Amino acid sequence: MKILLISGHGAGDCGAIGNGYKEADLTRELVKLIDNELKYYEVDVDIYDQKRNAYKDVKNGTFHIKKYDYVFEVHFNAYDKKAHGTEIWVTKLENGISVEQEIVKNLSQYFTNRGVKRENFAVIYKCKKLGISGALLETCFIDNASDMKIYQTKKKDIAKAIAIGIAEKWGLKKKAAPTIKTVQVNSKVKIKSGAVYGGLASTRGKKVPESVIERIHTVKKLQTNKGVQEALLKEINSWVAVSSLTVI
Ligand SMILES: [Zn+2]
């Protein structure tokens, strides 16, 4: 699964302005936040060059992208300072809209849900013509004070809500949390049952007794001895193979 995130406007086009914010700045920030949240999933995510303006590139015939499965373009809305809420646009060619419905549903805990709408906006239409499904998010209204206050205080959660919507409806797997911690100097470790002493002393190759195994040890030094990585454990002043240790 490959996703392209696009920040609306930029490259000399600041987009809408409101409440002291420029749309082009907000779209760039939010795309990075969404990218951060998608890092928790098994998915390849690219960000369209943030120095460029995808809309201008489409109009100028300079919009060149790889093959993606999904394109997600971020914007902020503006109208009369009163209008508020979140909405997503897809092209008239799009069949399913379950991803987009999930995203606006997730965002409805922050903004009024204005729903999923259809319009052949330039970038997503171009993508659809290239065979790539896409959506254009109007996150909230930049000229509405209340929307922007919520956005500024909750933007990380908002990015997460968007990422969860994309991940759930596209069936992205969560990355497994790293469970194996590496043994380092000062690591607190336990010795696995059946371990033998390393090093070069007379104890080498002898079984570590259960009374020692039960204790927690501190790694003082690391070395490679006869091709085996070993740790010197401070409390017993003995070497034990790193493969026989579990970091706690
Ligand atoms: Zn816009």
Side-chain angles (χ1 to χ4, degrees), residues 42-216:
E42 302 279 355
V43 60
D44 291 334
V45 182
D46 286 342
I47 296 177
Y48 191 76
D49 187 350
Q50 294 204 320
K51 292 185 204 74
R52 303 189 68 85
N53 179 320
Y55 174 82
K56 282 187 190 168
D57 283 340
V58 167
K59 293 291 169 192
N60 297 335
T62 50
F63 183 74
H64 304 299
I65 58 169
K66 295 190 298 194
K67 179 80 180 115
Y68 290 94
D69 300 293
Y70 192 53
V71 166
F72 192 74
E73 187 183 358
V74 173
H75 284 255
F76 285 73
N77 228 332
Y79 189 57
D80 61 357
K81 298 186 180 175
K82 293 192 189 79
H84 60 276
T86 187
E87 65 194 29
I88 296 190
W89 296 82
V90 296
T91 69
K92 292 171 183 172
L93 306 171
E94 207 63 63
N95 291 322
I97 55 165
S98 60
V99 178
E100 292 73 25
Q101 283 172 327
E102 185 74 8
I103 295 168
V104 285
K105 192 189 89 189
N106 289 352
L107 288 178
S108 68
Q109 56 186 311
Y110 307 106
F111 307 115
T112 300
N113 182 355
R114 299 166 63 96
V116 179
K117 303 172 179 183
R118 288 181 185 270
E119 185 62 63
N120 290 339
F121 285 120
V123 177
I124 54 172
Y125 186 67
K126 173 72 184 174
C127 290
K128 191 68 191 170
K129 288 288 186 184
L130 294 169
I132 307 166
S133 282
L136 186 156
L137 170 70
E138 294 280 7
T139 314
C140 64
F141 281 73
I142 196 171
D143 62 343
N144 181 276
S146 164
D147 266 11
M148 282 314 293
K149 195 176 171 198
I150 294 165
Y151 177 75
Q152 287 300 342
T153 48
K154 296 283 181 189
K155 55 191 164 192
K156 274 193 180 165
D157 298 320
I158 286 162
K160 193 174 179 179
I162 295 165
I164 289 171
I166 292 173
E168 283 189 359
K169 288 294 163 180
W170 279 104
L172 304 182
K173 277 198 212 136
K174 266 217 154 177
K175 277 184 191 162
T179 48
I180 302 157
K181 293 188 218 158
T182 54
V183 173
Q184 293 171 327
V185 171
N186 291 328
S187 289
K188 298 283 179 198
V189 296
K190 283 197 107 173
I191 305 171
K192 291 177 192 168
S193 190
V196 296
Y197 288 116
L200 294 169
S202 59
T203 52
R204 179 176 177 81
K206 289 199 175 128
K207 238 183 137 185
V208 180
E210 282 302 318
S211 59
V212 172
I213 282 177
E214 277 161 17
R215 286 184 244 146
I216 291 165

